[in-house]
């Protein structure tokens, strides 16, 4: 019995320490995948749908852009790392778009317009060569306009 408790306690300490260390990891570094795959997935799973979830995803996009700028300034970005960052941004943008659509469907047009506008602004800051990200900027812009119009009606 004590061995099981000690093992679980040790695993918790190691996992917690890894999670904390991963929070400052930049793209291309070993713990970055732990940060994006474990830490952010767990955070996202605990956040309710709607404005709060969209806000979380937009915040992650803004953080990815800052991380990308840090490694760009130190010339440590490779095409592979750039691709990973763009993929991660696209995943969070797609999640945010889904939440914005849910907000519109629930007739919460003010929050939908606000989140769509924030998403559009966040994505516009990333100098992406990805056509997929540009399409998401366009979609966010369209959703922002639609939600703003609906908010004026209500």
């Amino acid at each position: 019995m004590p061995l099981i408790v000690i093992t679980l306690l040790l695993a918790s300490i190691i996992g917690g320490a890894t999670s904390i260390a991963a929070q400052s990891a930049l793209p291309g570094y070993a713990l970055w995948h732990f940060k994006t795959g474990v830490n952010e997935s767990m955070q996202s799973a605990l956040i309710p749908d709607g404005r709060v979830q969209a806000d979380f995803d937009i915040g992650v996009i803004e953080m990815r852009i800052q991380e990308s700028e840090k490694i760009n300034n130190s010339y440590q970005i490779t095409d592979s790392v750039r691709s990973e960052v763009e993929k991660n941004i696209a995943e969070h943008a797609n999640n945010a778009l889904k939440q914005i659509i849910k907000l519109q469907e629930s007739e919460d047009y003010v929050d939908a317009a606000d989140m769509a506008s924030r998403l559009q602004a966040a994505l516009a800051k990333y100098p992406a060569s990805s056509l997929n990200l540009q399409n998401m900027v366009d979609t966010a812009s369209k959703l922002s306009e639609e939600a703003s119009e609906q908010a004026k009606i209500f």
Side-chain angles (χ1 to χ4, degrees):
M1 178 75 164
L3 182 61
I4 294 172
V5 172
I6 291 171
T7 303
L8 289 175
L9 184 60
L10 188 59
S12 295
I13 291 170
I14 291 170
T18 303
S19 181
I20 291 168
Q23 279 306 107
S24 61
L26 294 173
Y29 289 76
L31 288 177
W32 190 74
H33 292 287
F34 190 90
K35 172 184 174 176
T36 60
V38 177
N39 289 4
E40 291 173 3
S41 294
M42 288 178 58
Q43 288 174 318
S44 181
L46 297 173
I47 296 173
D49 281 350
R51 180 184 177 89
V52 178
Q53 183 67 49
D55 190 53
F56 169 78
D57 286 309
I58 294 166
V60 170
I61 291 168
E62 292 167 342
M63 185 171 33
R64 281 303 96 78
I65 292 168
Q66 290 173 354
E67 292 169 348
S68 179
E69 289 171 352
K70 283 180 185 176
I71 58 176
N72 269 336
N73 291 338
S74 64
Y75 306 104
Q76 295 177 353
I77 193 163
T78 64
D79 289 340
S80 171
V81 170
R82 183 176 288 113
S83 177
E84 284 183 58
V85 170
E86 285 187 12
K87 180 181 175 204
N88 187 272
I89 289 172
E91 287 173 8
H92 284 283
N94 193 42
N95 290 342
L97 287 171
K98 288 177 185 176
Q99 296 303 318
I100 292 165
I101 290 169
K102 284 182 182 181
L103 288 168
Q104 284 185 315
E105 289 172 349
S106 66
E107 298 183 1
D108 190 350
Y109 300 115
V110 173
D111 282 346
D114 183 40
M115 291 295 105
S117 178
R118 280 198 51 220
L119 177 61
Q120 180 184 7
L123 290 173
K125 292 178 188 172
Y126 187 74
S129 57
S130 168
L131 182 60
N132 187 32
L133 289 180
Q134 184 56 50
N135 288 340
M136 289 184 179
V137 171
D138 296 341
T139 302
S141 175
K142 181 181 173 208
L143 288 172
S144 179
E145 290 173 20
E146 289 173 1
S148 293
E149 287 301 314
Q150 289 294 329
K152 289 178 187 175
I153 294 171
F154 287 91

